[in-house]
């Protein structure tokens, strides 16, 4: 596993995203894409989207960083 993420829907239009990595992928850079921050191995952000849409967006960005 390179990256894991946990989505928490705080309201219908706000989803919290927590990222974790063993170090191979800089998840702080991924979180920064969405205006978030943190550390190379642990970071997070909020998206102004409902959970299903947020999941789709996050997966796309992670895939781009894995390539």
């Amino acid at each position: 596993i390179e990256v894991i993420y946990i989505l928490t829907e705080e309201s219908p239009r706000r989803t919290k995203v927590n990222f974790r990595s063993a170090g191979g992928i800089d998840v702080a850079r991924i979180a920064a894409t969405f205006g978030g921050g943190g550390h190379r191995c642990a970071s997070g952000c909020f998206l102004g989207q409902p959970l299903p849409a947020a999941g789709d967006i996050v997966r796309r960005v992670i895939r781009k960083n894995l390539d």
Side-chain angles (χ1 to χ4, degrees):
I1 297 173
E2 296 290 328
V3 176
I4 64 165
Y5 61 96
I6 300 166
L7 302 173
T8 305
E9 189 173 53
E10 295 194 333
S11 72
R13 301 233 11 115
R14 182 174 166 93
T15 301
K16 180 180 179 180
V17 187
N18 291 297
F19 298 98
R20 298 294 183 269
S21 168
I25 300 293
D26 183 353
V27 292
R29 188 174 63 182
I30 295 172
T33 302
F34 302 110
H39 303 277
R40 179 177 181 81
C41 296
S43 61
C45 62
F46 292 93
L47 280 88
Q49 301 287 331
L51 192 139
D56 291 341
I57 294 165
V58 168
R59 278 189 295 276
R60 267 189 254 126
V61 172
I62 290 172
R63 280 190 198 112
K64 283 173 51 176
N65 281 274
L66 290 174
D67 292 338

